[in-house]
Amino acid sequence: MSASNPVARYGRLSIALHWLMVLLIAGVYATIELKGNFPKGSEPRELLKQWHFMLGLTIFGLVWLRLIARLLNPAPGAVAGAAGWETALAKLVHLALYGLMIGLPLLGWLTLSAAGKPIPFFGLELPALIGADKALAGEIKEIHETLAVAGYWLIGLHAVAALFHHYVRRDDVLKRMLPQRP
């Protein structure tokens, strides 16, 4: 798998990481939304919560690999003919998405730490980042949930922009993040 980004499109590593993160983020949101369908304390609810934590922490780990890949192989330039505000907005949304991919898992880890709960990660238990403090856990959880809702909107904006470029503008913004067909 080549890590380099050609001028006109993203490299294979960047594309693979992007779509893997899409799947993981969908899984994180799905698990937390589905847990509400089960009674508190039930085994399916607890399992969904554990998967939410583990997938979130996986995102936290992979986002750093994505950032390294992005530093080594910068993204293709702005689309020809794009207004300055469009380019600035695209950069701002991307920055916010990266912020959420780092911040939300970190806030989740802090919430579990402050709540005095175990931090599961695929058979391991990660260390607490802070001491137990139930009141603080509630405050951090509220911030986590608020930012997660903002994430729905940012992800939606990102997807709508990609589809707008593809179907209305008919440029290559979406195509340069899609795997090339042989």
Side-chain angles (χ1 to χ4, degrees):
M1 189 179 305
S2 171
S4 66
N5 283 336
V7 174
R9 57 182 290 109
Y10 290 90
R12 287 183 276 187
L13 177 59
S14 295
I15 292 169
L17 286 170
H18 176 272
W19 293 108
L20 175 59
M21 297 292 272
V22 167
L23 293 173
L24 289 169
I25 290 167
V28 165
Y29 277 105
T31 54
I32 208 64
E33 294 295 339
L34 290 171
K35 86 168 177 62
N37 293 327
F38 300 96
K40 287 187 177 187
S42 68
E43 190 174 323
R45 184 181 179 106
E46 292 305 310
L47 187 61
L48 286 167
K49 283 172 31 180
Q50 278 193 352
W51 274 102
H52 176 78
F53 304 146
M54 293 186 301
L55 293 175
L57 289 169
T58 301
I59 290 167
F60 183 71
L62 286 176
V63 72
W64 299 105
L65 178 59
R66 250 186 112 172
L67 286 168
I68 291 167
R70 182 123 183 201
L71 285 173
L72 295 174
N73 302 291
V79 177
W85 69 268
E86 290 174 299
T87 302
L89 182 60
K91 287 181 180 182
L92 182 63
V93 169
H94 281 104
L95 183 64
L97 287 168
Y98 276 103
L100 288 176
M101 288 185 280
I102 294 167
L104 284 172
L106 187 56
L107 287 167
W109 192 346
L110 287 167
T111 300
L112 290 176
S113 297
K117 295 182 179 177
I119 297 99
F121 190 69
F122 300 102
L124 301 173
E125 187 175 317
L126 300 179
L129 297 176
I130 55 176
D133 181 336
K134 296 286 184 191
L136 181 59
E139 291 172 19
I140 297 170
K141 183 179 179 186
E142 191 173 314
I143 295 167
H144 177 80
E145 291 173 351
T146 300
L147 289 175
V149 170
Y152 277 122
W153 290 97
L154 281 170
I155 292 164
L157 179 61
H158 182 66
V160 166
L163 294 172
F164 174 79
H165 277 277
H166 189 71
Y167 290 108
V168 176
R169 289 260 176 96
R170 298 192 183 275
D171 58 28
D172 68 344
V173 167
L174 178 61
K175 288 180 186 173
R176 60 191 190 173
M177 187 48 90
L178 294 175
Q180 286 184 310
R181 296 183 186 184

